[in-house]
Amino acid sequence: MIVYADEMPSDEAAREVLLDRSFGPERFRKSSERIRAGRLPAERLSLVARDGDRLVGTVRLWHVTAGRDRPVLLLGPLAVDGACRGSGVGAALMRLALARAAERGHGAVLLVGDPAYYERFGFAAAAATGLSMPGPFERQRLLGLDLVPGALGGAEGVIRPTGRLAPVVAPEPAVLAA
């Protein structure tokens, strides 16, 4: 049975393995990854799907600005284990993530993804027409969804990160043998 829950710190290693399998090392070259780099996801908006003790799905939302000063969320990545694709895990994670974002008072969500998949959740390229990414991206894959009517109306400019910075972990000092 699939269970949906908040991501826990202990999920990190399994999440990275799932993302590597789903997207490969190219994922680190994407503009959306550059926006997320060095940041923490939005609080209580990192979700996982588990089948027993196995992590089979993940999605996170991140604080960004849509243009100059319009706070919105950036969704991604959404990944589902190959053995579970087509079983509704991704759709369930999306619906839960969007519901949580709305409950927490967020006005809109952006993402870069397949329009054919994300349109069923209400995402549209037209909602992100005036926006761009800080780096290469495919215009038709930049999608937006208003959680509050008109939240993305007239948004223009580059999408920029605004969320909490991830803590920097200092390396352990080397111990020299005498």
Side-chain angles (χ1 to χ4, degrees):
M1 178 171 92
I2 306 292
V3 175
Y4 301 91
D6 289 322
E7 179 184 311
M8 304 299 292
S10 58
D11 293 323
E12 187 66 28
R15 181 182 178 279
E16 288 301 313
V17 168
L18 176 60
L19 293 174
D20 285 345
R21 285 187 186 146
S22 297
F23 302 109
E26 297 82 34
R27 71 184 171 107
F28 294 107
R29 295 188 195 120
K30 295 181 178 184
S31 293
S32 53
E33 184 64 28
R34 288 186 208 140
I35 290 172
R36 295 187 292 260
R39 301 285 173 166
L40 294 172
E43 196 170 330
R44 301 232 2 151
L45 292 173
S46 295
L47 306 168
V48 296
R50 291 188 188 87
D51 186 3
D53 62 353
R54 191 169 62 104
L55 189 125
V56 296
T58 179
V59 67
R60 286 179 171 177
L61 292 126
W62 308 79
H63 290 285
V64 297
T65 59
R68 292 187 56 179
D69 60 358
R70 192 177 307 229
V72 300
L73 294 170
L74 178 68
L75 186 143
L78 169 66
V80 175
D81 184 89
C84 295
R85 288 196 187 122
S87 66
V89 170
L93 280 169
M94 278 296 299
R95 287 187 185 98
L96 181 56
L98 295 174
R100 285 256 188 104
E103 287 167 8
R104 295 184 69 79
H106 296 285
V109 178
L110 298 167
L111 63 80
V112 179
D114 179 19
Y117 180 81
Y118 291 105
E119 285 172 351
R120 66 179 151 155
F121 304 106
F123 285 89
T129 301
L131 298 170
S132 64
M133 301 287 284
F137 72 102
E138 296 175 63
R139 164 67 47 205
Q140 72 278 10
R141 294 174 55 86
L142 180 57
L143 310 173
L145 169 68
D146 284 338
L147 299 174
V148 173
L152 285 172
E156 294 181 343
V158 178
I159 298 165
R160 302 267 186 224
T162 59
R164 301 169 295 152
L165 292 172
V168 176
V169 179
E172 294 282 328
V175 177
L176 300 174

